């Protein structure tokens, strides 16, 4: 019914709903803020973890996840609210783009909307709010870039920065007590890549057992496979042939082929031919003179025996990723045809030593002294699979941040320093701007300041007092100050060595403000009728 | 009415299953139709103009999209009402024909229907109303042509085009970067435009999206970007002076269409077949290699063996390239699409300066860029943004801008925006109304009122007082005889749209008024709606 009382004809489908104006806005704010509030307790070094429990029947549904990683939490949540979905989306993008700051980005967007809601209540039009935010974002971004520093990639300072950044990232995770150890480990792994950004070369192996402390970085490459029985367990100066070929039997690839025989003799003949074909293939492989043969696919007993007889160590069933890593690490080419033994020098991979090792209770194959020394393996140990999974995610975050830093090179002080500086910049700008936008610029500053406030709150400190002191310190010109979360005071970040990557902050700021703007512009939400599903 | 009696008093059925059908007739039908259509127009009206708001749409599967584009909104609303659906089609045909002004056309239709409703209440016959609208529409169109101005699109570094693109982008979420994006769109269109024929093939502009970064990172690639990587991880990541072989046949043994069987009955046959099979692969690779190609792009997949042979022969290759990409690459590099290996000849290869893989973000996603193509008649706009929703909306916005630029290249006449053109037409139509002595006079006058509704709506969305600002602009237009006076949406302090440089294409405005009038006429001719009851 409209205002006058006319009954309006139904325009949308039966179960579809349409919310307009205030109602729509209210819905977006509530949803977005709820999501932000949900993850905000995980923020900072004293942030808490969440248990994620899948719903639904079945054995696999009982597997729970314990995590502190914003993207993981948000990804696994099922939400209906469209604005909340946008927040989850930006968190995911942050994860893909820089790998860390996934909580920050959702919390910042949520805080922006919380401030936005207050402005709307003051009867400021959303478009004015957006106009103000846009000014504020530019100002904040400029300040962020101004306060960042850059060191030469090969210098000792840069190396120190990397360690500090890794420490900062890891400090909010489960392994915070061992962060120095893991920071060092991550930096070493990343530096091996020599500037390449391919995380594939860093392999993470998770093995339950032992304690977190027992984790280590192995400079070689570890393949989670076993050497086939009857082969040598230790090969020095190995020549490796990496292949992706059928070693069970060769399918006939010509379409429409059928084998039709009319007597048992013929069957035997065909069988022999088939066997000969395989033998032929093995012979061709042997011409390359490898000492180790790694195949992605399964290897039947017959060819395996042939190869083993020639003193070649056989590894079968290497998965696709493993194969690519072996190939990359040892400098081998992945072969599928074997007609050019003269290229043997180019296609074979080399490494000094291949041996079967035991980690915990599992047998693995370790390649050391590879031709291309980029690949390495991080072996994670821990008391349970839940811990291992969480450590894996933390290490992944740290590695992503480090790689981003190596690419971007610029760093800022951590401990809320960058957020406070950006907030200060917004407030300075607000004083210069005429018109209603100024309120929005101030609000942007307040939202930014919420990040260190939440970090304080999570640590159980008096946030109001700390943040005020923080402000004063900055005002005094002490530009390296920040939150000391161990003592609950304002400390000097250069002494504490808390640094963060500029790119992560930049991306979080941009993504959060873009998302907040997107949600703010909405004045109408149309939900289509949900698709009817046939119950199976 | 569904039941009638013949001469002998026997009943017979005119409309079968009447009980199961919903039926509306006469004035009730008119009003119901108009109200439904108005409901749609009302939803869209707050999206009009530079300060228009966005709509959030949740699809049946729960996917969220946020948009300001009229055609997209009405499409995703999944409207069920039959008359309201006419408005959906109206918006879509504006989108297909012009590409921009999809919101405006629906809002105008809504305003016209609103006027029609009051006229119906006055007791004027619907057909008279529609006749009047028709005549008024002709007057308005004629007047639009007289007030339109020709602009020199190439003057001052294509400034006019950039401005027009900015006008189109101004209402979108990307409006902050409208200048940069506008320039990207202009460069893209001019790169592919055929200025002599005044035509632009929009297929040559590929819009690729990738989440991550921010809208500022959007850039123009003078080449083609395809979301694929090399078929073998160890193939070189960069090929300079590429000679591209475009294949639409798989690197696999042939599969004849005719159903056939190969029967193997002896071991010899078996061996022969094996050799034959091996030979296939070797031949295929050889044929490509011999032609001088140094990269092969294939629409289909490769067999493992073929893949390795390609690597061994140092022939980088890409598999599963989509059909549209294949065509685009063919146009850009001057390659001929080759459907059979036997037909590969050196002349059929395309040439490009460089083909390389680029990587984004931390997840291991790679894309392939083909740069410096032989015939640079294809470009890609790579859109970045903080989330999928922003990227999608940016894509729609850039599409709008590109359409506007194309229309300007086709026809370089413009009118000014900010509601000024509608206002000028309204004044003209109003004058004409007084000359008409029949009932249509009322309808014509209402048409003028409806046209005024557009600047009213603009002013409303911008937080201005609609009545005062429209009255002010109208008075000034009459006084100074200046059709460029409109609504100052951006609060720039001037209401002369020429000074604000708000350009809209004449073709778009003309189309808007014509299409809206047509649809309204159609709705006004419906006096009976018969639908199944459960619909």
């Amino acid at each position: 019914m409209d205002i006058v009382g006319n009954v309006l004809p139904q325009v949308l489908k039966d179960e579809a709903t349409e919310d307009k104006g205030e109602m729509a806005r209210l819905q977006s704010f509530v949803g977005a803020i709820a999501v932000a509030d949900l993850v905000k307790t995980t923020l900072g070094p004293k942030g808490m973890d969440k248990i994620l429990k899948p719903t639904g029947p079945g054995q696999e549904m009982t597997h729970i996840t314990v995590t502190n990683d914003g993207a993981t939490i948000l990804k696994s949540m099922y939400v209906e609210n469209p604005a909340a979905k946008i927040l989850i989306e930006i968190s995911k993008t942050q994860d893909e783009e820089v790998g860390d700051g996934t909580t920050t980005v959702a919390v910042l967007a949520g805080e922006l909307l919380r401030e936005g809601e207050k402005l709307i209540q003051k009867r400021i039009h959303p478009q004015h709010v957006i106009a103000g935010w846009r000014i504020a974002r530019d100002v904040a971004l400029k300040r962020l870039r101004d306060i960042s520093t850059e060191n030469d990639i090969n210098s000792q300072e840069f190396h120190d920065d990397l360690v500090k950044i890794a420490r900062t990232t890891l400090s909010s995770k489960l392994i915070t007590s061992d962060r120095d150890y893991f920071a060092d480990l991550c930096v070493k792994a990343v530096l091996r890549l020599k500037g390449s950004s391919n995380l594939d070369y860093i392999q993470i192996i998770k093995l339950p057992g032992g304690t977190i402390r027992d984790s280590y970085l192995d400079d070689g490459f570890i393949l989670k496979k076993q050497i086939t029985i009857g082969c040598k367990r230790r090969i020095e100066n190995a020549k490796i042939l990496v292949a992706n070929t059928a070693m069970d039997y060769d399918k006939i690839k010509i379409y429409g082929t059928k084998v039709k025989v009319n007597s048992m003799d013929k069957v035997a003949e065909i069988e022999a031919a088939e066997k000969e074909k395989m033998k032929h293939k093995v012979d061709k492989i042997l011409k390359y003179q490898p000492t180790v043969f790694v195949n992605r696919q399964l290897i039947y007993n017959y060819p395996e025996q042939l190869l083993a007889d020639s003193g070649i160590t056989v590894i079968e069933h290497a998965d696709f990723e493993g194969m690519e890593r072996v190939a990359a690490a040892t400098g081998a080419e992945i072969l599928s045809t074997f007609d050019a033994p003269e290229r043997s020098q180019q296609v074979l991979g080399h490494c000094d030593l291949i041996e079967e090792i035991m980690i915990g209770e599992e047998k693995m194959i370790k390649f050391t002294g590879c031709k291309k020394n980029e690949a390495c393996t991080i072996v994670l140990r821990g008391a349970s699979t839940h811990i291992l999974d969480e450590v894996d995610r933390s290490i992944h975050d740290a590695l992503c941040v480090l790689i981003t830093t190596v690419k971007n090179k610029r760093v800022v002080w951590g401990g809320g320093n960058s957020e406070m500086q950006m907030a200060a910049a917004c407030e300075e700008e607000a004083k210069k701007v005429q018109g209603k936008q100024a309120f929005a610029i101030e609000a942007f500053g307040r939202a930014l300041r919420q990040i260190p406030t939440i970090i304080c709150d999570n640590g159980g400190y008096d946030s109001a007092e700390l943040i005020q002191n923080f402000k004063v310190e900055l005002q005094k010109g002490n530009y390296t100050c920040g939150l000391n979360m161990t003592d609950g005071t304002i400390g000097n970040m250069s002494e504490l060595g808390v640094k963060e990557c500029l790119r992560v902050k930049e991306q979080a700021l941009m993504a959060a403000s873009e998302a907040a703007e997107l949600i703010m512009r909405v004045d109408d939400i149309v939900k289509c009728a949900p698709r009817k599903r046939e119950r199976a | 009415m569904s039941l009638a009696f013949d001469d002998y008093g026997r009943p017979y059925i005119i409309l079968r299953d009447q009980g199961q059908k919903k039926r509306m007739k006469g004035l009730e039908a008119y009003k119901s139709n108009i109200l439904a259509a108005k409901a749609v127009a009302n939803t869209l009206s707050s999206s009009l103009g530079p300060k228009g708001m966005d709509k959030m749409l949740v699809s049946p599967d729960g996917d969220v999209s946020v948009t300001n584009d009229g055609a997209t909104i009405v499409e995703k609303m999944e409207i069920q009402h039959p008359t309201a659906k006419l408005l959906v089609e109206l918006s879509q045909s504006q989108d297909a024909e012009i590409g921009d002004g999809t919101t405006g056309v629906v809002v105008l239709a809504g305003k016209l229907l609103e006027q029609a409703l009051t006229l119906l209440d006055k007791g004027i016959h619907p057909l008279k109303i529609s006749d009047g609208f028709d005549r008024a529409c002709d007057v308005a169109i004629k007047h639009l042509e007289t007030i339109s101005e020709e602009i020199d699109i190439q003057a001052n570094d294509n400034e006019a085009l950039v401005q027009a693109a900015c006008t189109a982008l101004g209402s979108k979420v990307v409006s902050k970067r409208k200048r940069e994006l506008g320039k990207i769109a202009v460069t893209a269109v001019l790169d592919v435009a055929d200025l002599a024929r005044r035509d632009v093939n929009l297929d040559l502009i590929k819009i690729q999206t990738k989440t991550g970064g921010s809208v500022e990172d959007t850039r123009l690639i003078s080449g083609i970007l395809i979301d694929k990587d090399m078929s073998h991880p160890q193939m070189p990541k960069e090929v300079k002076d590429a000679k591209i072989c475009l294949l639409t046949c798989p690197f696999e043994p042939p599969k004849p269409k005719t159903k056939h069987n190969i029967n193997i009955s002896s071991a010899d046959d078996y061996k022969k077949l094996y050799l034959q099979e091996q030979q296939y692969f070797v031949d295929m690779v050889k044929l490509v290699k011999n032609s001088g190609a140094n990269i092969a792009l294939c629409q289909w997949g490769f067999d493992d063996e073929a893949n390795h042979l390609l690597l061994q022969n140092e022939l980088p290759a890409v598999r599963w390239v989509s059909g549209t990409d294949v065509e685009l690459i063919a146009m850009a590099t001057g390659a001929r699409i080759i459907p059979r290996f036997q037909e590969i000849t050196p002349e059929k290869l395309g040439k490009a300066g460089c083909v390389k893989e680029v990587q984004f973000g931390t997840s291991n996603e790679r894309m392939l860029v083909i740069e410096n193509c032989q015939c640079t008649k294809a470009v890609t706009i790579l859109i970045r943004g903080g989330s999928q929703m922003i990227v999608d909306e940016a894509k729609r916005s850039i599409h709008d801008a590109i359409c506007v630029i194309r229309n300007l290249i086709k026809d370089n006449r413009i009118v000014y925006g900010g509601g000024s053109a509608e206002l000028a037409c309204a004044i003209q139509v109003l004058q004409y109304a007084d000359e008409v002595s029949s009932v249509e006079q009322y309808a014509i006058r209402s048409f003028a009122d409806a046209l005024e509704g557009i600047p009213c709506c603009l002013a409303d969305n911008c937080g201005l007082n609609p009545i005062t600002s429209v009255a002010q602009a109208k008075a000034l237009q009459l006084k100074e005889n200046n059709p460029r006076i409109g609504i100052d949406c951006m609060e720039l302090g001037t209401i002369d749209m020429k000074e604000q440089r708000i350009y809209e294409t004449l073709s778009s405005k003309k189309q808007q008024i014509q299409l809206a009038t047509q649809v309204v006429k159609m709705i006004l001719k419906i006096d009976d709606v018969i639908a199944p009851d459960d619909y």
Side-chain angles (χ1 to χ4, degrees), chain B residues 247-262:
Chain B
L247 292 166
T248 49
C249 45
F251 265 97
E252 275 165 17
K255 285 181 187 167
K257 296 267 185 331
T258 328
K259 219 174 165 191
H260 67 289
N261 274 325
I262 304 171

Side-chain angles (χ1 to χ4, degrees), chain B residues 111-146:
Chain B
K111 297 280 172 199
L112 283 171
L113 287 170
E114 204 171 307
Q115 295 296 332
L117 200 61
T118 18
L119 293 175
L120 282 174
D121 282 344
K122 277 184 187 152
I124 299 177
H125 191 274
L127 282 183
K128 288 284 177 198
I129 302 175
S130 84
D131 277 353
F133 281 180
D134 217 10
R135 286 162 75 172
C137 175
D138 287 344
V139 174
I141 299 288
K142 263 197 208 108
H143 188 63
L144 266 184
E145 279 177 14
T146 53

Side-chain angles (χ1 to χ4, degrees), chain B residues 32-200:
Chain B
S32 159
N33 285 340
I34 290 175
L35 282 174
K38 253 182 66 189
V40 177
N42 271 343
T43 303
L44 282 195
S45 66
S46 67
S47 283
L48 194 72
K51 296 279 170 83
M53 304 295 276
D54 291 359
K55 310 277 171 265
M56 196 182 264
L57 301 147
V58 185
S59 81
D61 298 320
D63 299 329
V64 180
S65 48
V66 178
T67 180
N68 184 283
D69 179 55
T72 315
I73 298 172
V74 288
E75 187 200 327
K76 296 206 169 173
M77 271 169 84
E78 294 204 346
I79 286 165
Q80 144 184 325
H81 195 282
T83 327
K85 267 189 186 158
L86 287 175
L87 287 199
V88 178
E89 273 161 36
L90 166 70
S91 188
Q92 274 163 356
S93 57
Q94 173 85 9
D95 195 32
E97 187 69 21
I98 304 290
D100 181 43
T102 51
T103 315
V105 69
V106 176
V107 175
L108 183 61
K111 297 280 172 199
L112 283 171
L113 287 170
E114 204 171 307
Q115 295 296 332
L117 200 61
T118 18
L119 293 175
L120 282 174
D121 282 344
K122 277 184 187 152
I124 299 177
H125 191 274
L127 282 183
K128 288 284 177 198
I129 302 175
S130 84
D131 277 353
F133 281 180
D134 217 10
R135 286 162 75 172
C137 175
D138 287 344
V139 174
I141 299 288
K142 263 197 208 108
H143 188 63
L144 266 184
E145 279 177 14
T146 53
I147 62 166
S148 70
E149 291 175 20
E150 276 195 25
I151 50 157
D152 182 1
I153 51 170
Q154 278 163 328
N156 199 0
D157 204 11
N158 303 314
E159 185 55 30
L161 290 183
V162 178
Q163 281 301 334
C166 286
T167 309
L169 291 170
S171 59
K172 315 287 183 189
V173 71
V174 293
S175 60
K176 186 179 168 204
R177 299 288 154 200
K178 61 180 176 193
R179 181 105 202 137
E180 288 91 333
L181 293 180
K183 273 195 180 149
I184 287 177
V186 170
T187 328
V189 174
L190 287 179
D191 274 354
V192 301
D194 184 348
L195 287 177
R197 277 200 309 127
R198 299 194 137 203
D199 194 19
V200 185

Side-chain angles (χ1 to χ4, degrees), chain A residues 254, chain B residues 271-281 283:
Chain A
I254 293 174
Chain B
K271 280 179 200 159
K272 259 190 233 157
L273 195 73
Y274 173 65
L275 289 175
Q276 174 92 38
E277 188 186 287
Q278 296 281 303
Q279 202 54 41
Y280 264 130
F281 292 118
D283 286 350

Side-chain angles (χ1 to χ4, degrees), chain A residues 52-65:
Chain A
L52 305 170
K53 187 175 174 298
T55 53
Q59 199 64 44
E60 70 278 9
M61 288 300 177
T62 53
H63 181 81
I64 58 156
T65 314

